[in-house]
Amino acid sequence: MTELEDNRRQVLYWRLLSRLFDNDEQATLESASMAVVEDIGLPPALLDPNVAVDSIVQRHPELAAEFDGLMVPETEDSRDKAAEVRRAALVSKVLLNVFAAAPGTVTAGQLSNWQADAAWLERALGCRPGELRGGRPGGKAISPTGLGGTGGAGTPDLSTLLPAIGPELGAIEADLVKRMRLREVLADPALAAKLSPSMSLIEQLLRDKDNLSGVALANAKSLIRRFVDEVAEVLRTQVEKASTGKVDRSVPPKRVFRNLDLDRTIWKNLTNWSPEEERLYVDRLFYKQTAKKTTPQRLIAVVDQSGSMVDSMVNCAVLASIFAGLPKVDVHLIAYDTQALDLTPWVHDPFETLLRTNLGGGNDGMVAMALTQPKIAEPANTVVIWISDFYETRVEQLFESMAAIHRSGAKFIPVGSVTSGGRGSVNPWFRERFKDLGTPVISGHITKLVHELKTFLTS
């Protein structure tokens, strides 16, 4: 019986490999796989690449729980060989739907179905839908047994693949978006409604916004705003957790009932206790200090808006708007390629900020530096975040200007990117010199930048 289950599982995985590397069906593998699936009581639709996982779950709701955490590690003794065969069939379905995307022109429906299938893959890996594509791998490790291994000694630890899967999913999604006739889709409200906002889609919309008008432009703006709101919801939570200041002992407490420190009041008045009357006479009230120490700070964000930094531009526009909403934080935003644009007047609205960007072009940080330096009025209360890959035209001149900002007493934070996943290459020349200067480049994960800003604003 054990040998039979091993053979069944191998049939399913041989079919998976065959379909991943060759779109043509292998008749023998297809018929054998169909026999296995039907014999173990799973729906034949699992083998149909045109059927989305959502459709299968709608028809067979009991399978939803099996797809969730499907590839999360389990102990070797937690399931039998028959369960491994069932698992292999479900894993094959998710992987094929996500990684064997059809060639040719992509419709809005196909993109929407792929995004839904990718969400099921993320759930199978123990992540929230969108988490890996957003580059925030917070799920559990990938199970070696989830791919048909034994999970015993010598099995490679596949948990290190989790951070790598996100970028691959993002690349597939970007390719699907590029193969869409996006302008035609946007011009049709019914098709546009099927689109799910993603970084790849927003990049295409921002690049093509000047060529859109009427209904297409309105639908594009709606998608951009939806995506901005989704990003803002995540970042706002991170900033709010990080932005609480220390209690300011120099500010007298407000003498209102809600600030009354009852324990301290009783303790300080114990000498007024009357044993005969069994009463405590209070001649002095004590109140809690609640004022937070929030020194006015100026935050200047400079963002490279060249083609390789689109996700940084989106994230930084959102992040700047959130910090601009905090009390006593003066936020300025500058975007540049070969020209610089001061976006400070729109910093409270990331949607309007993004509509004014022009993605693409080269890198000349000195044009941004010309706008940045006059904004540094009080260096001790200023932080300059410079977000770029630092592949510049005037290399030494720009670095010397950055070093001068650091020496002035302002806090200078170079960031390789502000992607959700922290990806992005950085010019090695700049990386070494920033390290020598004592201002090492942040790797790019947005949570690290939030932490750095929190430290500065609350210290």
Side-chain angles (χ1 to χ4, degrees), residues 91-116:
V91 168
S92 295
K93 177 59 179 175
V94 176
L95 293 180
L96 277 177
N97 276 32
V98 173
F99 291 104
T105 303
V106 175
T107 67
Q110 287 175 320
L111 176 63
S112 179
N113 286 340
W114 182 89
Q115 290 173 326

mmCIF file of all heavy atoms in Angstrom, residues 91-116:
data_model
loop_
_atom_site.group_PDB
_atom_site.id
_atom_site.type_symbol
_atom_site.label_atom_id
_atom_site.label_comp_id
_atom_site.label_asym_id
_atom_site.label_seq_id
_atom_site.Cartn_x
_atom_site.Cartn_y
_atom_site.Cartn_z
ATOM 1 N N VAL A 91 -1.203 20.874 -3.961
ATOM 2 C CA VAL A 91 -0.006 21.693 -4.202
ATOM 3 C C VAL A 91 0.202 21.906 -5.693
ATOM 4 O O VAL A 91 0.502 23.014 -6.153
ATOM 5 C CB VAL A 91 1.241 21.039 -3.570
ATOM 6 C CG1 VAL A 91 2.518 21.704 -4.066
ATOM 7 C CG2 VAL A 91 1.174 21.117 -2.048
ATOM 8 N N SER A 92 0.032 20.836 -6.482
ATOM 9 C CA SER A 92 0.220 20.925 -7.934
ATOM 10 C C SER A 92 -0.736 21.946 -8.538
ATOM 11 O O SER A 92 -0.353 22.709 -9.430
ATOM 12 C CB SER A 92 -0.001 19.559 -8.583
ATOM 13 O OG SER A 92 0.978 18.635 -8.168
ATOM 14 N N LYS A 93 -1.986 21.940 -8.065
ATOM 15 C CA LYS A 93 -2.976 22.877 -8.600
ATOM 16 C C LYS A 93 -2.539 24.318 -8.376
ATOM 17 O O LYS A 93 -2.549 25.140 -9.296
ATOM 18 C CB LYS A 93 -4.334 22.620 -7.938
ATOM 19 C CG LYS A 93 -5.429 23.598 -8.362
ATOM 20 C CD LYS A 93 -5.658 23.545 -9.859
ATOM 21 C CE LYS A 93 -6.770 24.493 -10.301
ATOM 22 N NZ LYS A 93 -6.887 24.518 -11.774
ATOM 23 N N VAL A 94 -2.142 24.644 -7.147
ATOM 24 C CA VAL A 94 -1.770 26.019 -6.823
ATOM 25 C C VAL A 94 -0.528 26.444 -7.610
ATOM 26 O O VAL A 94 -0.489 27.528 -8.210
ATOM 27 C CB VAL A 94 -1.514 26.163 -5.306
ATOM 28 C CG1 VAL A 94 -1.041 27.568 -4.979
ATOM 29 C CG2 VAL A 94 -2.779 25.852 -4.520
ATOM 30 N N LEU A 95 0.489 25.589 -7.645
ATOM 31 C CA LEU A 95 1.739 25.946 -8.318
ATOM 32 C C LEU A 95 1.538 26.122 -9.822
ATOM 33 O O LEU A 95 2.088 27.055 -10.427
ATOM 34 C CB LEU A 95 2.808 24.886 -8.045
ATOM 35 C CG LEU A 95 3.299 24.795 -6.593
ATOM 36 C CD1 LEU A 95 4.358 23.705 -6.463
ATOM 37 C CD2 LEU A 95 3.865 26.129 -6.125
ATOM 38 N N LEU A 96 0.760 25.231 -10.446
ATOM 39 C CA LEU A 96 0.535 25.344 -11.886
ATOM 40 C C LEU A 96 -0.256 26.606 -12.230
ATOM 41 O O LEU A 96 0.067 27.308 -13.196
ATOM 42 C CB LEU A 96 -0.197 24.104 -12.413
ATOM 43 C CG LEU A 96 0.681 22.887 -12.722
ATOM 44 C CD1 LEU A 96 -0.173 21.714 -13.163
ATOM 45 C CD2 LEU A 96 1.694 23.227 -13.816
ATOM 46 N N ASN A 97 -1.269 26.902 -11.464
ATOM 47 C CA ASN A 97 -2.070 28.084 -11.752
ATOM 48 C C ASN A 97 -1.261 29.370 -11.638
ATOM 49 O O ASN A 97 -1.517 30.339 -12.344
ATOM 50 C CB ASN A 97 -3.285 28.155 -10.824
ATOM 51 C CG ASN A 97 -4.448 27.329 -11.343
ATOM 52 O OD1 ASN A 97 -4.248 26.303 -11.988
ATOM 53 N ND2 ASN A 97 -5.664 27.763 -11.062
ATOM 54 N N VAL A 98 -0.286 29.370 -10.747
ATOM 55 C CA VAL A 98 0.498 30.591 -10.522
ATOM 56 C C VAL A 98 1.706 30.682 -11.450
ATOM 57 O O VAL A 98 1.976 31.735 -12.031
ATOM 58 C CB VAL A 98 0.952 30.665 -9.047
ATOM 59 C CG1 VAL A 98 1.918 31.835 -8.835
ATOM 60 C CG2 VAL A 98 -0.248 30.818 -8.137
ATOM 61 N N PHE A 99 2.429 29.572 -11.604
ATOM 62 C CA PHE A 99 3.709 29.641 -12.317
ATOM 63 C C PHE A 99 3.641 29.206 -13.777
ATOM 64 O O PHE A 99 4.645 29.308 -14.486
ATOM 65 C CB PHE A 99 4.763 28.801 -11.587
ATOM 66 C CG PHE A 99 5.166 29.394 -10.263
ATOM 67 C CD1 PHE A 99 4.698 28.853 -9.078
ATOM 68 C CD2 PHE A 99 5.989 30.498 -10.217
ATOM 69 C CE1 PHE A 99 5.055 29.398 -7.856
ATOM 70 C CE2 PHE A 99 6.360 31.056 -8.998
ATOM 71 C CZ PHE A 99 5.892 30.510 -7.816
ATOM 72 N N ALA A 100 2.498 28.743 -14.239
ATOM 73 C CA ALA A 100 2.369 28.357 -15.644
ATOM 74 C C ALA A 100 1.377 29.277 -16.347
ATOM 75 O O ALA A 100 0.415 28.843 -16.953
ATOM 76 C CB ALA A 100 1.928 26.902 -15.770
ATOM 77 N N ALA A 101 1.622 30.584 -16.230
ATOM 78 C CA ALA A 101 0.721 31.574 -16.826
ATOM 79 C C ALA A 101 0.730 31.436 -18.343
ATOM 80 O O ALA A 101 1.775 31.223 -18.972
ATOM 81 C CB ALA A 101 1.159 32.983 -16.425
ATOM 82 N N ALA A 102 -0.463 31.582 -18.921
ATOM 83 C CA ALA A 102 -0.603 31.415 -20.373
ATOM 84 C C ALA A 102 0.067 32.559 -21.115
ATOM 85 O O ALA A 102 0.074 33.705 -20.649
ATOM 86 C CB ALA A 102 -2.087 31.356 -20.734
ATOM 87 N N PRO A 103 0.656 32.265 -22.294
ATOM 88 C CA PRO A 103 1.275 33.328 -23.101
ATOM 89 C C PRO A 103 0.214 34.154 -23.816
ATOM 90 O O PRO A 103 -0.977 33.841 -23.773
ATOM 91 C CB PRO A 103 2.131 32.534 -24.094
ATOM 92 C CG PRO A 103 1.406 31.230 -24.253
ATOM 93 C CD PRO A 103 0.795 30.938 -22.917
ATOM 94 N N GLY A 104 0.657 35.213 -24.504
ATOM 95 C CA GLY A 104 -0.258 36.013 -25.303
ATOM 96 C C GLY A 104 -0.889 37.147 -24.524
ATOM 97 O O GLY A 104 -0.516 37.452 -23.384
ATOM 98 N N THR A 105 -1.849 37.795 -25.169
ATOM 99 C CA THR A 105 -2.536 38.936 -24.567
ATOM 100 C C THR A 105 -3.327 38.498 -23.339
ATOM 101 O O THR A 105 -3.947 37.440 -23.323
ATOM 102 C CB THR A 105 -3.494 39.583 -25.583
ATOM 103 O OG1 THR A 105 -2.755 39.969 -26.739
ATOM 104 C CG2 THR A 105 -4.167 40.813 -24.984
ATOM 105 N N VAL A 106 -3.297 39.339 -22.316
ATOM 106 C CA VAL A 106 -3.944 39.027 -21.044
ATOM 107 C C VAL A 106 -5.172 39.917 -20.871
ATOM 108 O O VAL A 106 -5.109 41.130 -21.108
ATOM 109 C CB VAL A 106 -2.969 39.248 -19.870
ATOM 110 C CG1 VAL A 106 -3.661 39.045 -18.530
ATOM 111 C CG2 VAL A 106 -1.781 38.308 -20.003
ATOM 112 N N THR A 107 -6.281 39.321 -20.472
ATOM 113 C CA THR A 107 -7.487 40.089 -20.198
ATOM 114 C C THR A 107 -7.533 40.496 -18.726
ATOM 115 O O THR A 107 -6.784 39.958 -17.901
ATOM 116 C CB THR A 107 -8.747 39.283 -20.526
ATOM 117 O OG1 THR A 107 -8.838 38.180 -19.598
ATOM 118 C CG2 THR A 107 -8.701 38.740 -21.954
ATOM 119 N N ALA A 108 -8.425 41.427 -18.416
ATOM 120 C CA ALA A 108 -8.589 41.847 -17.025
ATOM 121 C C ALA A 108 -9.026 40.671 -16.160
ATOM 122 O O ALA A 108 -8.580 40.525 -15.018
ATOM 123 C CB ALA A 108 -9.607 42.979 -16.935
ATOM 124 N N GLY A 109 -9.907 39.823 -16.709
ATOM 125 C CA GLY A 109 -10.357 38.657 -15.962
ATOM 126 C C GLY A 109 -9.237 37.689 -15.664
ATOM 127 O O GLY A 109 -9.157 37.127 -14.564
ATOM 128 N N GLN A 110 -8.360 37.474 -16.666
ATOM 129 C CA GLN A 110 -7.227 36.566 -16.451
ATOM 130 C C GLN A 110 -6.282 37.102 -15.387
ATOM 131 O O GLN A 110 -5.776 36.346 -14.550
ATOM 132 C CB GLN A 110 -6.484 36.357 -17.778
ATOM 133 C CG GLN A 110 -7.227 35.470 -18.767
ATOM 134 C CD GLN A 110 -6.519 35.405 -20.097
ATOM 135 O OE1 GLN A 110 -5.992 36.406 -20.610
ATOM 136 N NE2 GLN A 110 -6.494 34.215 -20.699
ATOM 137 N N LEU A 111 -6.025 38.409 -15.419
ATOM 138 C CA LEU A 111 -5.160 39.003 -14.396
ATOM 139 C C LEU A 111 -5.786 38.855 -13.020
ATOM 140 O O LEU A 111 -5.109 38.488 -12.053
ATOM 141 C CB LEU A 111 -4.907 40.479 -14.700
ATOM 142 C CG LEU A 111 -4.087 41.230 -13.640
ATOM 143 C CD1 LEU A 111 -2.681 40.646 -13.518
ATOM 144 C CD2 LEU A 111 -4.013 42.721 -13.948
ATOM 145 N N SER A 112 -7.090 39.116 -12.934
ATOM 146 C CA SER A 112 -7.782 39.004 -11.654
ATOM 147 C C SER A 112 -7.743 37.567 -11.130
ATOM 148 O O SER A 112 -7.509 37.331 -9.935
ATOM 149 C CB SER A 112 -9.224 39.471 -11.814
ATOM 150 O OG SER A 112 -9.925 39.359 -10.596
ATOM 151 N N ASN A 113 -7.938 36.596 -12.023
ATOM 152 C CA ASN A 113 -7.884 35.187 -11.616
ATOM 153 C C ASN A 113 -6.490 34.809 -11.144
ATOM 154 O O ASN A 113 -6.334 34.073 -10.157
ATOM 155 C CB ASN A 113 -8.307 34.281 -12.775
ATOM 156 C CG ASN A 113 -9.806 34.307 -13.025
ATOM 157 O OD1 ASN A 113 -10.576 34.695 -12.156
ATOM 158 N ND2 ASN A 113 -10.219 33.913 -14.220
ATOM 159 N N TRP A 114 -5.467 35.304 -11.872
ATOM 160 C CA TRP A 114 -4.091 34.979 -11.461
ATOM 161 C C TRP A 114 -3.804 35.567 -10.076
ATOM 162 O O TRP A 114 -3.195 34.906 -9.236
ATOM 163 C CB TRP A 114 -3.084 35.525 -12.470
ATOM 164 C CG TRP A 114 -1.679 35.152 -12.092
ATOM 165 C CD1 TRP A 114 -0.989 34.033 -12.448
ATOM 166 C CD2 TRP A 114 -0.806 35.884 -11.205
ATOM 167 N NE1 TRP A 114 0.254 34.013 -11.857
ATOM 168 C CE2 TRP A 114 0.393 35.133 -11.084
ATOM 169 C CE3 TRP A 114 -0.915 37.086 -10.515
ATOM 170 C CZ2 TRP A 114 1.460 35.557 -10.316
ATOM 171 C CZ3 TRP A 114 0.142 37.508 -9.734
ATOM 172 C CH2 TRP A 114 1.321 36.748 -9.634
ATOM 173 N N GLN A 115 -4.225 36.807 -9.849
ATOM 174 C CA GLN A 115 -3.987 37.430 -8.545
ATOM 175 C C GLN A 115 -4.681 36.654 -7.432
ATOM 176 O O GLN A 115 -4.138 36.509 -6.332
ATOM 177 C CB GLN A 115 -4.458 38.884 -8.579
ATOM 178 C CG GLN A 115 -3.577 39.781 -9.446
ATOM 179 C CD GLN A 115 -4.145 41.176 -9.621
ATOM 180 O OE1 GLN A 115 -5.362 41.368 -9.684
ATOM 181 N NE2 GLN A 115 -3.273 42.172 -9.710
ATOM 182 N N ALA A 116 -5.869 36.127 -7.725
ATOM 183 C CA ALA A 116 -6.578 35.321 -6.725
ATOM 184 C C ALA A 116 -5.840 34.015 -6.461
ATOM 185 O O ALA A 116 -5.719 33.568 -5.314
ATOM 186 C CB ALA A 116 -8.007 35.043 -7.191
#
